[in-house]
Amino acid sequence: LYDSPEFISKYTYTGNDLGVTYTKKATTLRVWAPTATAVNVVTYKESNSPYSSGKLTPMKYDVKGTWVATLKGDQDGTVFNYRVQVNGFNNEAVDPYVRATTVNGLRGVIVDLSTTNPKGWGMAKPRFSGKPTDAIIYELHVRDLSMDASSGYPAAQKGKYVAFTNTKTSHNGEKTGVAAIKDLGVTHVELLPIFDFATVDENNPTFNWGYDPQNYNVPEGSYSADPTNPKLRITELKSAILSLHKQGLRINMDAVYNHVSNASSFSQNLIVPNYFFRRDDNGNLTSGSGCGNDVASERPMVRKFIVDSVKYWASEYNLDGFRFDLMGILDVTTMQNVREELDKIDPSIIVIGEGWNMGGLPEDQRATQVNISKLDGIAAFNDQIRDGIKGSVFNADEKGWATGNTGRRGDVVAGITGNVAYSASVTANWITNDPGQSVSYVEAHDNLTLADKLFSSVNTNATTRSKLHRFASSIAFLAQGLPFIHAGQEFERTKGGDDNSYQSSDAVNSMKYKQRVTYATTLNYFKGLISLRKAHPAFRMATTSDVKKNLTFLNTSQTVIAYKLNGAGVGDKWGTIVVIHNAGKATASVTMPGGKATWKVVVNGDKAGVATLATLKSITKVSVPAGTTMVVYK
Ligand code: CA
């Protein structure tokens, strides 16, 4: 029924007023319910007024499957739901477009959004070129920022949005929290889910990643100082975003449109049963996501819902980027529409996603890595360089090229080019249009942290592990592409070997800022790599042709990868840069390009940055110690 041309032409609504349209004089509600026989708005005196006390206002059938009602007067704060007669049932559902809810997201609340803006709201975003290769993304969970005793945050701020407004925290004289992030030098902070998710009781919060969407356009309540106050969390999140903007940091959000927490109780499913999710030939929900349901993004009104939701977050919350969870479940057209609409709001907004090949659509319609050529302006996580460097994330013991598995050298080489169409001898598993479509990384919230992966896959001592951590991280970080680091990676974050900590304790997950001191060498190394990358466009080439023209691999053994960057060709003040990664067990002697010359070292195994660490006078070969990266320029 839903996919028939008749249904699509009769019931595809294209207006921009689904959900609540608020004015002080009246509020109009519009809901898409083409198969319903009657729809009522039900309003409640209080958030917890009994079902039977609800006051019904009938909605009138309007156009394209939508129903409309107007509530007179100033409805700011009114608690409401829809009661929908459909398939012989009378379902009560939250408005899928709702922007505020009662605690735990059970009922919608009409709000005057103009009253939710914090003081100073509307300031310009931190400057950013808009080129993905100029970004450095830092992936962080709201609670992780502030829960540990070493965070320096007062108890009232721990685990809350408000922690982001405190930019002066420290522990034993060392920066923590937002101050530590600013100190690191990243450009974008990417927050794990901040939309309303289901699993955590907002009245009694515990840790959860939050990949269980409930109300897509509402901030999660467990991060609010008072989740029973529907407006407060909106203001708090905006204040957090404003505060980070003031610190020069841009903010991306994790967008989880591929599945919901509970398909049967999801608002859209109660209103239009079976429309929102994909089913197999036997009528069962598909689960390419592994979460019990896949959102049918290819259906026009689901696509519209996703695009409208992204637009809402980008404009109302002034966000700077989105990370699409399991993007491969979604279809190409939806992601293209997302990009087009974001370009209208602010073309400098970044979009990245997990382009894993999954879900039930025909393969050419999936928003996957192999279809990235159809997704200009959208980047995909590059698991080829990730696993090439450190070994598969699905096998804790497996080594990668950086830890002695020479068979993965080709994967690292491909990733260093940003998976562009570089040459016949470089085998990228998927080909980007430009390096900005390759998210280059070795650690994310999923799977073992790099430190834990090294612990389980390499039999060595702590000192060597630290060295390998810097080595592995530097390979991904210096590669062409869009670099992405996981919060705490800069101080060798460990989760004690927990590779799926989505509901583990704060003790496992939180940022242990003491490690910034313990692992100061690695922390400073990251700071140095970041400053190097920011100062030198040779590491941030934006086009495939720039990479092909200006990045040349040197002839080396299987345990060494070395490449020359023609800085002069991309406006870099360093004429020639050479990056050498030695994954061997012995010092490597690498013949330098261009004959005898004097080179300046800016990165070695322990230090990184733009300052000269050593000058190599009149050399033709350079010695690079085992398990280290060296960057030199002339
Ligand atoms: Ca929630």
Side-chain angles (χ1 to χ4, degrees):
L1 165 76
Y2 294 137
D3 298 318
S4 72
E6 295 77 18
F7 185 89
I8 291 169
S9 81
K10 210 169 164 187
Y11 297 122
T12 299
Y13 181 71
T14 56
N16 62 2
D17 62 344
L18 286 170
V20 173
T21 302
Y22 170 88
T23 68
K24 285 209 180 326
K25 287 182 179 161
T27 291
T28 300
L29 301 149
R30 185 187 291 273
V31 62
W32 186 72
T35 55
T37 51
V39 186
N40 282 278
V41 180
V42 53
T43 53
Y44 294 100
K45 269 218 158 82
E46 307 283 344
S47 61
N48 57 356
S49 300
Y51 178 91
S52 59
S53 73
K55 183 181 165 223
L56 297 182
T57 304
M59 299 185 83
K60 279 203 181 107
Y61 185 80
D62 197 60
V63 296
K64 300 284 185 184
T66 64
W67 300 71
V68 180
T70 296
L71 305 176
K72 290 206 172 108
D74 188 347
Q75 301 293 334
D76 189 18
T78 297
V79 177
F80 80 106
N81 273 342
Y82 297 128
R83 285 191 194 165
V84 184
Q85 276 181 36
V86 63
N87 294 357
F89 292 94
N90 193 7
N91 294 333
E92 178 155 339
V94 179
D95 177 359
Y97 276 73
V98 79
R99 291 151 170 186
T101 61
T102 60
V103 67
N104 287 323
L106 298 175
R107 287 173 178 170
V109 180
I110 295 168
V111 288
D112 176 358
L113 283 168
S114 70
T115 64
T116 64
N117 296 337
K119 197 171 166 235
W121 188 246
M123 74 167 263
K125 293 175 171 186
R127 211 174 333 169
F128 175 61
S129 70
K131 289 183 198 156
T133 47
D134 289 347
I136 300 165
I137 298 177
Y138 187 79
E139 186 195 39
L140 174 69
H141 186 281
V142 171
R143 276 176 86 91
D144 288 354
L145 177 83
S146 56
M147 287 305 285
D148 191 62
S150 70
S151 71
Y153 284 97
Q157 295 181 345
K158 282 187 192 296
K160 304 298 182 189
Y161 295 122
V162 69
F164 287 90
T165 65
N166 183 346
T167 59
K168 301 220 170 358
T169 54
S170 64
H171 181 74
N172 293 342
E174 297 287 331
K175 285 174 180 157
T176 62
V178 173
I181 298 170
K182 187 183 180 189
D183 181 49
L184 186 60
V186 296
T187 63
H188 289 67
V189 174
E190 177 185 298
L191 297 176
L192 268 74
I194 49 172
F195 55 79
D196 177 34
F197 51 82
T199 309
V200 170
D201 178 359
E202 295 177 354
N203 288 310
N204 189 18
T206 50
F207 184 90
N208 198 287
W209 281 345
Y211 291 96
D212 49 341
Q214 184 170 355
N215 293 296
Y216 275 103
N217 298 332
V218 178
E220 163 60 14
S222 63
Y223 303 141
S224 174
D226 181 6
T228 67
N229 177 343
K231 273 191 194 174
L232 183 62
R233 65 178 82 171
I234 299 174
T235 302
E236 289 170 334
L237 178 55
K238 285 179 174 177
S239 300
I241 291 164
L242 178 64
S243 169
L244 290 172
H245 279 172
K246 282 181 178 167
Q247 298 303 307
L249 294 161
R250 287 193 161 220
I251 317 304
N252 300 353
M253 80 178 272
D254 204 327
V256 187
Y257 293 103
N258 67 89
H259 70 275
V260 305
S261 174
N262 184 324
S264 57
S265 67
F266 182 62
S267 56
Q268 288 274 20
N269 198 58
L270 293 168
I271 296 167
V272 194
N274 303 322
Y275 181 80
F276 207 76
F277 303 101
R278 293 183 190 138
R279 290 182 180 267
D280 62 21
D281 293 341
N282 298 320
N284 299 313
L285 290 170
T286 62
S287 184
S289 64
C291 301
N293 62 80
D294 301 328
V295 168
S297 64
E298 67 280 12
R299 287 187 166 144
M301 294 304 289
V302 180
R303 176 176 294 148
K304 176 175 168 54
F305 177 75
I306 293 171
V307 174
D308 285 349
S309 178
V310 175
K311 281 164 65 179
Y312 173 69
W313 282 103
S315 51
E316 183 66 29
Y317 287 89
N318 206 19
L319 288 165
D320 309 294
F322 295 86
R323 174 252 187 214
F324 279 77
D325 187 63
L326 304 185
M327 183 171 71
I329 300 275
L330 305 177
D331 70 292
V332 164
T333 305
T334 296
M335 291 308 301
Q336 288 171 335
N337 289 2
V338 163
R339 183 68 263 178
E340 285 160 21
E341 292 301 319
L342 287 177
D343 282 344
K344 291 177 195 167
I345 295 167
D346 173 3
S348 75
I349 291 173
I350 290 177
V351 180
I352 69 172
E354 292 184 303
W356 321 135
N357 188 13
M358 47 172 54
L361 289 178
E363 297 221 6
D364 65 336
Q365 292 172 28
R366 301 178 187 177
T368 53
Q369 290 172 338
V370 294
N371 290 325
I372 205 77
S373 64
K374 302 171 188 173
L375 297 168
D376 256 330
I378 298 175
F381 282 92
N382 192 336
D383 55 341
Q384 187 173 12
I385 190 168
R386 178 197 71 191
D387 289 3
I389 291 170
K390 69 175 183 177
S392 170
V393 296
F394 303 114
N395 179 349
D397 302 333
E398 190 184 298
K399 290 180 165 70
W401 181 79
T403 43
N405 180 356
T406 52
R408 305 241 32 183
R409 187 177 184 276
D411 294 322
V412 178
V413 167
I416 284 170
T417 72
N419 276 42
V420 299
Y422 182 80
S423 77
S425 60
V426 174
T427 312
N429 293 342
W430 51 288
I431 308 278
T432 55
N433 294 339
D434 54 69
Q437 288 190 307
S438 166
V439 177
S440 186
Y441 74 122
V442 280
E443 178 177 329
H445 72 274
D446 272 316
N447 311 123
L448 293 174
T449 67
L450 178 58
D452 289 343
K453 172 73 171 173
L454 292 171
F455 184 81
S456 62
S457 61
V458 185
N459 184 16
T460 188
N461 58 49
T463 306
T464 306
R465 263 202 311 279
S466 283
K467 199 158 257 195
L468 282 173
H469 193 290
R470 294 191 286 277
F471 179 53
S473 295
S474 68
I475 298 170
F477 196 82
L478 295 173
Q480 301 298 320
L482 198 180
F484 172 105
I485 58 180
H486 180 221
Q489 187 184 337
E490 73 276 19
F491 52 68
E492 302 185 36
R493 181 174 180 177
T494 174
K495 292 192 233 167
D498 189 340
D499 67 346
N500 186 14
S501 65
Y502 75 101
Q503 59 176 6
S504 300
S505 65
D506 289 307
V508 168
N509 281 295
S510 62
M511 299 275 279
K512 315 294 189 300
Y513 292 96
K514 282 179 189 166
Q515 288 182 240
R516 290 184 99 239
V517 177
T518 312
Y519 297 102
T521 303
T522 299
L523 173 65
N524 289 326
Y525 199 79
F526 269 78
K527 283 191 210 172
L529 290 175
I530 288 167
S531 64
L532 174 63
R533 202 180 155 100
K534 283 166 106 173
H536 289 279
F539 297 99
R540 299 183 272 117
M541 296 183 206
T543 67
T544 298
S545 72
D546 273 350
V547 174
K548 288 176 77 165
K549 268 188 264 176
N550 299 302
L551 187 160
T552 315
F553 289 96
L554 309 183
N555 269 327
T556 55
S557 70
Q558 282 297 299
T559 54
V560 174
I561 296 172
Y563 54 96
K564 182 182 86 169
L565 300 172
N566 175 26
V570 289
D572 201 303
K573 64 186 183 207
W574 290 352
T576 305
I577 300 166
V578 174
V579 179
I580 305 163
H581 304 300
N582 177 15
K585 290 204 160 57
T587 297
S589 178
V590 176
T591 302
M592 298 300 284
K596 192 180 272 189
T598 294
W599 298 83
K600 288 178 173 167
V601 179
V602 290
V603 175
N604 61 28
D606 298 324
K607 288 187 171 164
V610 291
T612 303
L613 302 172
T615 302
L616 308 174
K617 282 193 179 140
S618 300
I619 54 148
T620 56
K621 291 182 174 199
V622 63
S623 292
V624 181
T628 67
T629 289
M630 184 175 280
V631 178
V632 300
Y633 77 92
K634 67 171 183 184

